[in-house]
Amino acid sequence: MEDEFHELTDRVRAELRSPQDLIAYERLLGLARKNSPAGREELARMLVAVERPLWAREIAAFILGCAGDKRAFETLVLLLNYRDPVRCATAAYALARLGDPRTARAAAALATNPLRTAYALHPVRLLAELRAPQSVPALIATLERLLTPHNPYWRVALACVEGLGALGDRRAVPALTAAVAHPRLAAAAAASLARLGVHEDAAAQDGAEADGAEAAGGPGGGQDHGPYGRAGRGAGRAPGAERGAGPGGGGGLPH
């Protein structure tokens, strides 16, 4: 935590705009160093106080989250879905250490929300780190949705591919096999399949057999899925349904 906290405080110091900001900043650092119950109470009050700058709430939430204080949860989830990737990364680090069972549900909601895909990178990485029951279904659903021609969010798709390989769940084989056809994902997808004990040619053969069965009489027979082959196959089986989350996401976060 020490390195991450220093990176956070160094970044925030550049955002200070007045002598009053500097005083508040120094007070926050003092509370962090003290690490006492009374100090944590004051930090928790900062999270709900009106007219507090975002950087002050971010520092308070980071300290509380890394200490396992669940009062930081809502602020950290807000920051996980923030437009600034640096703040998303800081929030993901603290959420991974918070130990709140709501974290995986919130991260899955953010990752699978098609309206928030631009901000989904850190929720995806957090899901892989958490290794929660929601992780694999959410990563599969997100990856399958992104395997479309000219999708600009290939870095999010890449994080899904890498996360699924790390999680080691064979439910990911169809989605990873489809990802092999994407030039920017091919190497990572092949590596993830290998981690699952699946060779690329065997996975492709299994997929061809499944497609043949569909063409013979199953739903979707003969359907053209575009240049990425079976990109959409398996989406209906993933139990992680997409839900809106966060500001502008079309729905509230789970609690």
Side-chain angles (χ1 to χ4, degrees):
M1 169 188 168
E2 199 68 26
D3 291 342
E4 287 75 14
F5 184 66
H6 285 313
E7 288 179 12
L8 168 60
T9 53
D10 287 347
R11 169 170 57 81
V12 165
R13 190 178 183 91
E15 298 180 28
L16 305 181
R17 296 291 180 264
S18 69
Q20 290 75 21
D21 284 349
L22 181 59
I23 292 170
Y25 170 83
E26 295 291 350
R27 171 126 185 102
L28 280 169
L29 297 192
L31 292 172
R33 286 190 290 267
K34 188 180 298 184
N35 192 27
S36 66
R40 287 192 290 275
E41 288 296 326
E42 185 170 345
L43 290 170
R45 287 195 295 271
M46 288 184 183
L47 298 180
V48 295
V50 296
E51 297 183 357
R52 289 285 184 178
L54 182 62
W55 58 260
R57 297 201 303 274
E58 181 183 10
I59 291 177
F62 181 87
I63 296 168
L64 292 171
C66 290
D69 191 319
K70 293 178 173 53
R71 290 175 291 184
F73 172 77
E74 292 192 5
T75 300
L76 289 173
V77 170
L78 171 68
L79 292 168
L80 181 66
N81 193 35
Y82 199 68
R83 62 180 177 272
D84 184 348
V86 180
R87 285 198 157 99
C88 296
T90 299
Y93 180 90
L95 282 166
R97 286 146 187 82
L98 178 60
D100 192 310
R102 297 172 293 174
T103 298
R105 295 196 300 271
L110 295 175
T112 58
N113 184 352
L115 300 178
R116 306 300 293 172
T117 305
Y119 310 107
L121 179 62
H122 292 286
V124 162
R125 290 176 175 171
L126 178 59
L127 284 167
E129 184 175 357
L130 291 172
R131 308 185 74 88
Q134 296 89 345
S135 296
V136 170
L139 295 187
I140 290 173
T142 303
L143 176 59
E144 289 179 331
R145 176 166 49 82
L146 296 178
L147 291 177
T148 56
H150 314 300
N151 194 297
Y153 303 116
W154 65 270
R155 289 181 178 83
V156 178
L158 179 61
C160 291
V161 167
E162 293 171 341
L164 289 168
L167 290 169
D169 191 311
R170 291 179 67 88
R171 287 178 293 173
V173 169
L176 291 172
T177 302
V180 171
H182 194 302
R184 284 173 163 164
L185 306 178
S192 290
L193 286 168
R195 294 182 72 173
L196 295 174
V198 178
H199 292 293
E200 195 176 321
D201 53 353
Q205 181 178 354
D206 290 345
E209 291 173 356
D211 284 349
E214 287 183 357
Q223 188 175 13
D224 181 11
H225 292 288
Y228 300 116
R230 293 172 300 279
R233 188 166 57 83
R237 295 191 300 271
E242 294 182 357
R243 292 176 292 171
L253 289 168
H255 294 284

